Amino acid sequence: MAQIPVELVKLLIALVAIAAFVGLNGLVLVYLERKVAGFVQRRPGPYEVGPQGLLQPLADAVKLIGKQLFTPSGSDKLLFWMAPILSFMPVLLLFLPIPFGPVATGMEMDLGLLLILAFAGLNVLAICLAGWGSNNKWGILGAARAVAQSVAYEIPLLLSVLAIAFMTGSLNLTTVVEGQGGWPWQWNVFLQPLAFIIYFISALGETNRAPFDLPEAESELTAGFHTEYSGMGFGMFFLAEYANMIVVCSVAAALFLGGWQGPFFDGAWWFLAKVYTLLLVMIWLRWTYPRVRFDQLLNINWKWLMPLALLNLFITAFVMKL
Amino acid sequence: MSVIKKFWDDVTSLWSLIVGLKVTGKNFVDKNVTLHYPRETVTSGQLEGFRGPLELIGKPKAPAKPKCIACMMCVTACPSKCITVVKAKAPKPTEAELQAMKEAEERGEKVKKPKAPKEPVKFFYDFSLCSLCGSCVENCPAKALRYSSNVYLTVTDRKELKMDLLARLGAQAEASIAEKEAQKAAESPKNIEAETTEKQAGTES
Ligand code: SF4
Ligand code: SF4
């Protein structure tokens, strides 16, 4: 029997661990989102199912799984069902290069950051297919909105990430983390505050989070690209969105907030604490700001984020050259 | 110049975003205002601003009679047409009175015909149509309408939501009179004596 390469085994374990992590996080984030929404509106949020409503997301999941999978007539069946899978599957890959802890990295690679950015783009394709495959004009319109938004916000996101890459001279996330210190003032966010802000805003746009959640807009715009999806078809998009949120927050934590390094004891808990803090801020923003109009959304991007990101990049390049 | 000013306006308006975060942040850490209904019930202090189905307000001296002057303002103001008011008609004069009036007229005197009293004889309200918009309450010149604080209203038939507000007011007035009497009875010294003797009798036997 030929030897099974160690790398492959490690990769498999990492993928399984990531799948478990993503699933679990979906539940935790659904719960958090609803609790925060409740508290902001001075309600208790989920309360009845389990202590403090802890089992509510599980009940939601069971309900979602139990629902009938419905294919609209006249739709392209293959594309229609490929879309949710295509939106969810690449997400698992996105977690591979993220350094959760000093040793807990799925696969360390020199072009890790590039891999994340490249595969994150697949989501746009998935949304495009979903809208097209649905044979529904609201689906198509929603998909068009989503694609315009994703493509637009990807640029400032890239530019702000690039500024960090210029500074550290590496696209390897582990190297970037190691380049920073444990204490907050040694983190990149203090050298590149503008890049951090731009990154965070673009990340909101990229993950379709409020106030930039026009692609989905469940109730107000007759929903978006997922109008026709029922049960787990919708659930996959949902899960992918939450997983994407974790990815962008993880990347932010690694690039700007010192990753797993922290005061006193380094370790994965620092990383998770930072990621969850950022996620909480994202949820907080969602329940604070009203949704922007679509032209406002594009204006924010093209008139503000893009020029600022470019400026920031030029200044960084200039300073690094000196 | 205006471009720079606009730019500066945009930058300064960023502050409002932070204010927004502060508002929701404060709410986040504040106490819940929701009650866990079957386990807790609402006290009257928590009902400030609550809009229950409409009810009529009685006259201070005759609580069973509404302050309403049957002016129809609420009926006209209501966008959902849920209020029906029927004005009271002038009382029909008796034979003798008619005769007297006729005679007076013949003598060339001015005759005072009986006028309709300014009050409703019917006041119906369909809560199933009402959006609790408040137009009727605001427009009533006699201030004869208000929201009830009926939090736990439940019915099993839509028809039950058609309410006779006059009957409701009468029932309320009766209930409040009965309550007052009960209170008085409980407070009066005679009763206390009676009670105590009763109690003593109870312990003795
Ligand atoms: S609250 Fe509005 S809808 Fe209801 S009875 Fe009054 S005017 Fe009509
Ligand atoms: S507006 Fe007031 S006074 Fe006039 S009919 Fe309605 S309740 Fe009566």
Side-chain angles (χ1 to χ4, degrees), chain A residues 71-238:
Chain A
T71 318
S73 64
S75 68
D76 190 323
K77 217 169 173 167
L78 181 69
L79 293 189
F80 185 75
W81 287 114
M82 217 164 81
I85 297 170
L86 192 62
S87 108
F88 181 69
M89 282 304 158
V91 169
L92 299 183
L93 282 180
L94 299 185
F95 281 96
L96 276 182
I98 290 174
F100 284 94
V103 281
T105 310
M107 203 167 105
E108 207 179 310
M109 53 187 110
D110 288 339
L111 293 177
L113 202 48
L114 198 65
L115 178 116
I116 292 180
L117 293 171
F119 274 100
L122 268 183
N123 199 32
V124 181
L125 182 65
I127 288 174
C128 217
L129 286 187
W132 180 255
S134 299
N135 186 29
N136 172 319
K137 56 187 165 198
W138 288 285
I140 292 189
L141 286 175
R145 279 203 306 270
V147 171
Q149 173 176 341
S150 279
V151 170
Y153 276 81
E154 204 134 299
I155 301 167
L157 186 105
L158 274 169
L159 291 177
S160 56
V161 167
L162 217 55
I164 297 294
F166 273 17
M167 256 179 54
T168 49
S170 167
L171 285 172
N172 187 335
L173 281 168
T174 313
T175 319
V176 177
V177 171
E178 277 163 359
Q180 308 171 57
W183 295 91
W185 56 88
Q186 295 166 319
W187 296 346
N188 279 340
V189 67
F190 279 85
L191 295 170
Q192 293 274 6
L194 187 62
F196 178 67
I197 292 169
I198 293 171
Y199 176 87
F200 198 67
I201 297 176
S202 318
L204 288 177
E206 268 296 289
T207 47
N208 300 338
R209 288 292 297 183
F212 306 121
D213 57 344
L214 280 114
E216 8 185 84
E218 312 91 75
S219 46
E220 295 87 340
L221 300 171
T222 343
F225 56 89
H226 56 52
T227 310
E228 293 287 356
Y229 285 89
S230 56
M232 260 336 253
F234 171 74
M236 292 275 246
F237 282 120
F238 204 60

Side-chain angles (χ1 to χ4, degrees), chain B residues 56 68-75 85 123 136 139-142 144-145:
Chain B
L56 284 167
C68 172
I69 51 174
C71 68
M72 302 285 158
M73 288 293 269
C74 54
V75 181
V85 180
F123 203 116
C136 51
N139 278 303
C140 176
L145 283 173

Side-chain angles (χ1 to χ4, degrees), chain B residues 181-200:
Chain B
E181 259 166 22
Q183 237 174 18
K184 245 190 214 160
E187 273 166 17
S188 72
K190 236 191 209 166
N191 261 341
I192 291 173
E193 250 178 54
E195 243 171 61
T196 44
T197 49
E198 241 177 58
K199 260 187 203 161
Q200 277 167 357

